[in-house]
Amino acid sequence: MDEFSTIARRVLIVDDTRLSREALRSFLEGEPWIAALDTAGDLAATIERVRDFCPDVVLLNMATVGSLGIVGAVVGAEGAARVVAIGVSGSEDEVIALAEAGVAGYLLRGASRADLAMTMQSLARGESLCPPQISAALLRRVASMAAERRSLTAGSHLTAREHQVLRLIDQGLSNRQIGQHLGIEVRTVKNHVHNILEKLHVHRRGEAAARMRAVGPPGAGAPSS
């Protein structure tokens, strides 16, 4: 018994193009890691087959209409079915959307039979095998989220005066207008703006205001110049 036959899985192919769906089924029939094979062409059929066929893995062609909705339906259904997205473009937006929807594996356009077999093997071990392009996109997203958290945390370290300046920036006031409003020199306003950008780890005034809108109103404190 080879290593793939020890992890044989019930596989459901979901693709709304009949020719493509049947071609993939013919392509996979006889593979030692497949215990049983079935197909579906849309959301309703997928839900029915997940209930009756009880697949271990759903191979979903991302060109299928409503593919993200199908991912959500499979992930939210009873059972242990895991979704492998096939024909993924590799764009960061698509990768993140699929990860958030609960996809367990990715196959880029042009992936081979061997790529699919390795992905199935990794799923059997409780792992998620991702092409380097996919992994890079996910890591960029994690880094971006970490930077956002650092910026939001840094917002709590702004002084009361910096919060005042930031609120006025959010209202669209220039440095000169902010200085007139607060009764301080323009040079002082510039220093406050510089400190705000550094503390929030952003480069533009609008980005700083957007960060603080996400945090909400600051705590009370006596203003200081």
Side-chain angles (χ1 to χ4, degrees), residues 9-15 20-22 24-26 28-29 34-41 45-60:
R9 293 290 182 262
R10 299 175 66 81
V11 177
L12 176 66
I13 298 168
V14 180
D15 190 327
S20 174
R21 185 170 69 243
E22 292 180 348
L24 183 55
R25 178 169 188 159
S26 296
L28 294 178
E29 283 179 340
I34 294 181
L37 196 58
D38 203 349
T39 64
T46 299
I47 293 172
E48 178 186 345
R49 300 314 301 143
V50 166
R51 183 185 66 240
D52 298 338
F53 178 63
C54 300
D56 300 298
V57 176
V58 173
L59 299 179
L60 172 60

Side-chain angles (χ1 to χ4, degrees), residues 181-200:
H181 185 88
L182 297 177
I184 58 178
E185 296 291 332
V186 173
R187 180 177 59 187
T188 304
V189 175
K190 289 181 178 179
N191 288 337
H192 285 315
V193 171
H194 175 77
N195 291 337
I196 290 167
L197 297 182
E198 280 202 339
K199 289 182 179 181
L200 296 183

Side-chain angles (χ1 to χ4, degrees), residues 60 62 66-77 81-85 93-106 138:
L60 172 60
M62 293 312 299
S67 54
L68 275 178
I70 293 174
V71 174
V74 173
V75 171
R82 306 184 73 185
V83 180
V84 174
D93 288 344
E94 182 183 27
V95 169
I96 299 307
L98 288 172
E100 291 176 343
V103 163
Y106 301 80
L138 292 174

Side-chain angles (χ1 to χ4, degrees), residues 103-122:
V103 163
Y106 301 80
L107 283 172
L108 294 172
R109 295 170 185 169
S112 67
R113 184 193 301 249
D115 294 328
L116 178 54
M118 286 189 292
T119 298
M120 296 293 293
Q121 186 181 22
S122 71

Side-chain angles (χ1 to χ4, degrees), residues 122-195:
S122 71
L123 291 180
R125 294 194 301 262
E127 303 169 351
S128 292
L129 181 65
C130 294
Q133 183 177 347
I134 301 295
S135 299
L138 292 174
L139 289 174
R140 283 194 299 270
R141 177 57 175 166
V142 170
S144 174
M145 292 173 64
E148 289 176 6
R149 285 196 298 271
R150 288 195 300 270
S151 295
L152 295 178
T153 300
S156 64
H157 300 304
L158 296 182
T159 66
R161 177 66 87 191
E162 287 165 352
H163 276 298
Q164 288 180 323
V165 171
L166 189 50
R167 284 196 298 271
L168 295 174
I169 289 174
D170 193 31
Q171 294 172 22
L173 274 63
S174 67
N175 286 349
R176 183 175 299 279
Q177 291 170 323
I178 292 172
Q180 292 172 347
H181 185 88
L182 297 177
I184 58 178
E185 296 291 332
V186 173
R187 180 177 59 187
T188 304
V189 175
K190 289 181 178 179
N191 288 337
H192 285 315
V193 171
H194 175 77
N195 291 337

